[in-house]
């Protein structure tokens, strides 16, 4: 083994460690930013809490969820492994009830499916294997399938596909999101994946039934 190879073997663990540390810092910053955003939020009105209770009953979720209203035009997002919080923009007070229900059902579907656990596990795996492009590809595919699975749960609850597609389009085009908060939170939509989701929502050929235990 020559000196160059020996030096490379000594440097590689350091490079790997720097990459892991950087991604862990990114995750920690995302958690901090979401917690910080709570200080600017207010609790939802009685009407919104009633709609939340209705959505939870519809989707079969029994875990307590704290509803927050953000004064900014931020996209709906859910986060918190142990104390779930669902943040809506303040404009949600004026949304039509069918649109509000679509948004609530989608975000609550993430909690019903335990997607936050999967999200954190995915982020940790990507941090450990940041040098492997297949890890990031798998993370992206998990995101796509996760969102489509939640869309299917919303449609299975009785929301019309055309109406839900309109609600997705409205949320994505009129509200803003931050890439930092998406590291440990699940926002309703991203512009980058909107076209594929709209096609899936409006498709009549897709099988939307849940996966069986077998």
């Amino acid at each position: 083994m020559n000196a160059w190879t020996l030096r490379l073997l000594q440097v590689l663990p350091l490079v790997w460690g720097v990459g892991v540390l950087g991604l862990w810092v990114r995750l920690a910053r995302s958690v901090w930013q979401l917690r910080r955003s709570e200080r600017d939020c207010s609790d939802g009105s009685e009407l919104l809490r009633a709609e939340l209770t209705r959505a939870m009953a519809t989707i079969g979720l029994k875990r307590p969820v704290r509803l927050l209203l953000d004064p900014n035009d931020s996209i709906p997002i859910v986060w918190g492994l142990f104390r779930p919080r669902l943040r809506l923009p303040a404009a949600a007070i004026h949304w039509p009830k069918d649109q509000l229900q679509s948004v609530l059902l989608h975000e609550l579907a993430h909690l019903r499916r335990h997607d936050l656990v999967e999200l954190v596990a995915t982020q940790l795996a990507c941090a450990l294997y940041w040098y492997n492009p297949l890890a990031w590809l798998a993370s992206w595919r998990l995101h796509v399938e996760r969102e489509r699975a939640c869309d299917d749960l919303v449609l299975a609850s009785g929301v019309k596909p055309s109406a839900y597609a309109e609600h997705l389009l409205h949320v994505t085009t009129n509200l803003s999101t931050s890439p930092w908060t998406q590291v440990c939170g699940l926002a309703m939509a991203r512009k980058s994946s909107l076209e594929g989701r709209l096609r899936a929502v409006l498709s009549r050929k897709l099988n939307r039934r849940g996966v069986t235990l077998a």
Side-chain angles (χ1 to χ4, degrees):
M1 182 179 297
N2 56 42
W4 187 89
T5 303
L6 182 60
R7 180 173 298 180
L8 180 63
L9 291 178
Q10 292 174 340
V11 170
L12 283 179
L14 177 61
V15 174
W16 172 81
V18 170
V20 172
L21 180 61
L23 290 172
W24 281 356
V25 169
R26 174 171 170 259
L27 179 60
R29 180 176 177 180
S30 177
V31 173
W32 176 78
Q33 284 196 334
L34 282 173
R35 288 183 176 178
R36 183 183 179 186
S37 70
E38 289 187 49
R39 292 182 291 182
D40 299 325
C41 296
S42 60
D43 293 329
S45 64
E46 291 186 8
L47 175 61
L48 289 178
R49 288 197 295 269
E51 291 297 323
L52 175 65
T53 301
R54 175 187 166 196
M56 292 175 66
T58 300
I59 211 164
L61 181 67
K62 297 181 179 180
R63 293 181 63 187
V65 180
R66 184 184 177 190
L67 183 63
L68 300 170
L69 279 184
D70 189 351
N72 303 310
D73 292 330
S74 58
I75 204 163
I77 186 172
V78 65
W79 79 92
L81 285 177
F82 306 107
R83 293 185 300 167
R85 276 90 83 194
L86 196 165
R87 190 184 70 191
L88 298 175
I93 298 176
H94 307 293
W95 286 352
K97 283 191 175 182
D98 58 341
Q99 179 178 340
L100 179 59
Q101 277 295 304
S102 292
V103 172
L104 291 174
L105 287 170
H106 179 90
E107 293 303 307
L108 293 175
H110 284 302
L111 296 179
R112 176 183 167 184
R113 287 170 32 83
H114 305 289
D115 284 341
L116 288 170
V117 177
E118 174 201 305
L119 177 65
V120 173
T122 302
Q123 292 295 327
L124 293 177
C126 285
L128 292 174
Y129 298 97
W130 60 265
Y131 55 87
N132 189 341
L134 293 179
W136 297 100
L137 177 61
S139 174
W140 173 73
R141 285 305 310 174
L142 280 172
H143 162 73
V144 172
E145 297 302 329
R146 180 171 59 230
E147 295 303 321
R148 291 187 179 182
C150 289
D151 291 341
D152 289 345
L153 282 176
V154 175
L155 297 177
S157 69
V159 178
K160 293 182 178 180
S162 58
Y164 185 59
E166 182 180 349
H167 300 156
L168 272 177
L169 186 61
H170 177 271
V171 166
T172 306
T173 56
N174 290 280
L175 300 176
S176 61
T177 185
S178 168
W180 285 103
T181 58
Q182 293 181 17
V183 175
C184 65
L186 294 168
M188 183 175 180
R190 298 180 186 177
K191 292 182 180 180
S192 59
S193 59
L194 180 61
E195 182 179 352
R197 286 180 63 185
L198 290 177
R199 289 180 178 178
V201 166
L202 296 173
S203 175
R204 297 183 179 181
K205 299 179 180 180
L206 292 181
N207 180 5
R208 305 187 188 281
R209 291 177 296 176
V211 179
T212 63
L213 181 60

